[in-house]
Amino acid sequence: MSAVSLEPGDPRELGGFRLIGRLGEGGQGVVYLGHGPGGERVAVKVLKADADPVVRGRLARELAACERVAPFCTARVIHFSGEDVRPYVVSEYVDGPSLQERVERDGPLRGGELDRLVVGTATALTAIHGAGVLHRDLKPANVLLGPDGPRVVDFGIARPIEAGTVTTHLMGTPAYLAPEQLNGEPPSPAADVFAWASTMVFAATGRPPFGDDTIAAVLNRIAHAVPDLTGVPPQLRELLAACLAKKPAERPRARALLVRLVDPSAPVDAEGRPDDLTMSVAANRALAGRHPVAWTTVLPFRDRVSEKVRGRPLAAVGVAALVLLAGVGLVNLGRGDRTVPAGGAPATPEVSGPPETQSPPGPPEGTIPEAFGGAWRGRATERDGEIETMDVPVMIMMRPGDRGAHLRLPEEPCEGELDLVDSAGDELTFRVAFRSGGCLDGTVTLARHGEHELGYRWREQDGPGTAEATLHRAG
């Protein structure tokens, strides 16, 4: 990527980084080529961001999350400053053209060059999502073709610099938006996968899968038309078609598509779908019968094993095996499937629920009551100072008798552990510690409003942030 001369109004130095030329300008800001204190070349993006300190705080937290992304297939974030009139981000300089420039100059990629791009960018997207970060604007201009392979850049920046009272407006380049974003839904990992597939179609054919003429025509095709995969190599066509599914739940996760790329015999949906509550209906039915083994088998496949489970005897290994089988679709729940032996009589299941005549004991005091058990979901309104963010999905999973629960904000994306600190009748209070994403720790209070409804309140630890929602039992 070549630089052009600085313009009269451009800064010459920012925070010890000397600027020597312009690399480009877009909707997010101007990108400069610069030198660091040690003489190393860097890319400095000066952002067109609101000066509101709350917006700057959100941007700082988002970029802090980006620092967790493995740097081998991205441009590493080196420094961020929100103290100037316009915030700026300093990142590793990648010496190479963007995918957009390369295709416009030399035509579509072919053979091994295309294969390396597909695998390299899928690896980058897997690393980005694994760190709890969304890209939000994946497109050919944000893929740089460095001498050591493709690098994905500008992840995690699009949302904070567009912060406002409502976050359901369109963000990103129209030709690479997912259908659900046209309906006002915020970006998600599934939307990133859709944008990745659209970018790969552009790399293979020189055009996006839904065209690049008028914005209205492109958006209409994204919402209703079948993608045009003419010219895509046959070995990639099935996978890209799956990633371009209209419904987010029908697209594979980034890790699943990467597995498919390196092992063509693997199914497209090898790791399941983006929604971790896919099996929550069965989970709630199991809880209604207080069947502990059935609950364990339908926990989300990618949940980490808790320290308590690691210390259990060998019988717990069998439960873990059931979780694995559920994750790859080998356990059929709620279908009434039974194994029939050679003699023709149905076999008795190895694990069965307690006899109907028994009354299982309730959970011990100081733990989650049975009335709160199950999978719950809703949409929250978050407030941080004067900024209000509406319609933020919230998912919680609780099991009676435990002191801990699982909280998920899939579109941040954040995952957190809830630790029960107080229970008073129909209200529970938890400490929440997030293990991924840029969300802030604090307290969560759940108030029972009925058999199938919970009030949800989150308050930031030592800060002004709050969130409220009404959660409903999932199924």
Side-chain angles (χ1 to χ4, degrees):
M1 182 182 297
S2 58
V4 298
S5 300
L6 294 172
E7 296 183 359
D10 289 335
R12 265 51 182 177
E13 188 270 341
L14 286 171
F17 295 92
R18 184 169 58 91
L19 309 185
I20 61 174
R22 276 182 165 232
L23 291 171
E25 181 174 6
Q28 297 175 7
V30 181
V31 184
Y32 299 96
L33 176 62
H35 287 154
E40 70 279 8
R41 289 196 294 179
V42 295
V44 181
K45 171 169 279 191
V46 179
L47 301 171
K48 298 176 181 177
D50 194 313
D52 190 310
V54 177
V55 174
R56 294 173 185 270
R58 288 184 181 274
L59 179 57
R61 292 196 294 269
E62 189 79 11
L63 289 170
C66 293
E67 291 177 356
R68 296 196 297 270
V69 179
F72 55 84
C73 48
T74 64
R76 179 172 56 90
V77 175
I78 298 171
H79 176 69
F80 163 70
S81 175
E83 299 175 0
D84 292 74
V85 176
R86 293 170 64 188
Y88 64 90
V89 181
V90 182
S91 61
E92 175 187 6
Y93 173 72
V94 179
D95 189 10
S98 71
L99 176 61
Q100 182 84 35
E101 294 169 329
R102 161 63 177 79
V103 171
E104 290 177 351
R105 184 189 66 204
D106 300 325
L109 279 61
R110 295 283 186 263
E113 188 179 18
L114 177 62
D115 292 339
R116 286 188 290 273
L117 173 77
V118 170
V119 173
T121 52
T123 302
L125 189 58
T126 301
I128 291 169
H129 287 180
V133 177
L134 295 180
H135 192 290
R136 301 186 179 92
D137 194 19
L138 185 53
K139 57 187 179 182
N142 284 336
V143 177
L144 301 183
L145 305 180
D148 55 351
R151 303 288 190 95
V152 174
V153 299
D154 274 1
F155 54 90
I157 294 177
R159 185 185 65 171
I161 71 168
E162 298 287 353
T165 56
V166 180
T167 61
T168 55
H169 57 286
L170 293 179
M171 289 179 288
T173 303
Y176 301 92
L177 290 172
E180 64 271 18
Q181 292 175 268
L182 308 185
N183 297 325
E185 297 183 25
S188 68
D192 277 354
V193 168
F194 189 97
W196 172 86
S198 298
T199 300
M200 295 305 100
V201 172
F202 173 84
T205 66
R207 48 171 173 70
F210 299 98
D212 56 0
D213 46 345
T214 67
I215 293 178
V218 170
L219 297 184
N220 183 63
R221 293 188 201 106
I222 290 174
H224 304 293
V226 174
D228 181 2
L229 302 183
T230 306
V232 174
Q235 69 271 18
L236 293 176
R237 205 168 294 154
E238 178 188 3
L239 179 61
L240 295 182
C243 295
L244 293 170
K246 300 299 184 189
K247 296 180 179 179
E250 295 178 356
R251 299 172 207 146
R253 292 180 183 153
R255 184 174 299 178
L257 68 90
L258 178 59
V259 169
R260 174 63 181 269
L261 287 169
V262 298
D263 179 9
S265 65
V268 171
D269 58 349
E271 286 195 7
R273 300 303 188 185
D275 186 355
D276 276 355
L277 291 179
T278 299
M279 306 180 75
S280 59
V281 173
N284 279 311
R285 290 174 180 168
L287 275 171
R290 292 191 290 272
H291 189 319
V293 174
W295 165 260
T296 307
T297 62
V298 295
L299 281 175
F301 175 59
R302 68 185 181 130
D303 272 4
R304 301 175 185 175
V305 180
S306 68
E307 292 298 329
K308 291 188 292 184
V309 172
R310 291 192 185 102
R312 289 177 183 169
L314 186 60
V317 176
V319 173
L322 289 176
V323 177
L324 176 60
L325 292 175
V328 296
L330 298 179
V331 173
N332 294 310
L333 298 174
R335 297 183 182 178
D337 295 355
R338 293 186 295 174
T339 302
V340 179
T348 301
E350 294 183 15
V351 180
S352 60
E356 294 183 1
T357 57
Q358 295 183 1
S359 297
E365 293 185 7
T367 61
I368 295 171
E370 291 187 26
F372 286 80
W376 304 81
R377 68 170 76 197
R379 306 186 83 86
T381 297
E382 295 182 350
R383 296 179 180 85
D384 190 349
E386 297 181 357
I387 292 181
E388 182 177 283
T389 304
M390 303 175 64
D391 212 32
V392 178
V394 176
M395 303 176 181
I396 290 181
M397 287 170 284
M398 296 182 284
R399 184 168 59 181
D402 282 0
R403 292 191 57 84
H406 182 75
L407 169 65
R408 183 166 181 255
L409 307 177
E411 291 174 357
E412 295 295 333
C414 297
E415 307 237 5
E417 301 303 331
L418 299 175
D419 183 32
L420 184 64
V421 295
D422 186 41
S423 57
D426 286 339
E427 188 169 285
L428 305 179
T429 301
F430 299 85
R431 280 191 299 265
V432 57
F434 286 97
R435 68 191 187 197
S436 67
C439 297
L440 301 177
D441 296 346
T443 60
V444 166
T445 301
L446 300 175
R448 188 165 179 259
H449 294 164
E451 184 178 356
H452 301 292
E453 186 175 295
L454 293 179
Y456 165 90
R457 297 194 305 275
W458 165 82
R459 181 170 294 279
E460 178 185 347
Q461 179 179 329
D462 302 324
T466 61
E468 294 185 357
T470 297
L471 307 183
H472 295 89
R473 198 180 287 278

